[in-house]
Amino acid sequence: MAQESSIKSRGPIAAHPVTSAVIAILVLASIFFAVYVPLYASVTPKVGDFPFFYFFLLAYMPALGIVMWIVITLQRRLQPERGAEGPEAVRTGEVAK
């Protein structure tokens, strides 16, 4: 019984470490690909009349939207359910009945 109560009292990040790690990796990868300038700061590869930088942005923005949608979906799985009572419900501002 003591283990069961300690499992229920863990926070959402501690309760789902793999999901939290996937979220962190996706967010850090999206930041890395935007900030690492040598990846796209070259004039030589051209796609048609466009320099590679513009093609990179045209491909990166929709890909970033999909990655952020995945992150938001995973974050929703970490949130406690609406009918949950206990420390999670009190912390989020819901009134426990």
Side-chain angles (χ1 to χ4, degrees):
M1 288 296 232
Q3 289 178 343
E4 185 177 321
S5 65
S6 66
I7 290 172
K8 289 181 181 179
S9 65
R10 293 192 312 180
I13 294 173
H16 304 284
V18 175
T19 305
S20 300
V22 169
I23 290 172
I25 289 169
L26 287 174
V27 170
L28 289 174
S30 64
I31 292 171
F32 172 78
F33 284 116
V35 174
Y36 188 64
V37 176
L39 181 68
Y40 56 82
S42 59
V43 180
T44 318
K46 287 187 174 184
V47 179
D49 291 334
F50 290 108
F52 182 71
F53 172 73
Y54 296 115
F55 178 73
F56 178 80
L57 285 179
L58 285 172
Y60 179 71
M61 289 300 147
L64 182 65
I66 292 169
V67 168
M68 289 299 121
W69 174 75
I70 292 169
V71 167
I72 290 170
T73 304
L74 290 174
Q75 283 180 338
R76 286 185 183 160
R77 292 179 63 196
L78 292 178
Q79 293 177 353
E81 295 187 19
R82 291 225 176 240
E85 293 183 17
E88 291 90 11
V90 174
R91 253 188 284 143
T92 59
E94 295 179 8
V95 178
K97 294 182 181 179

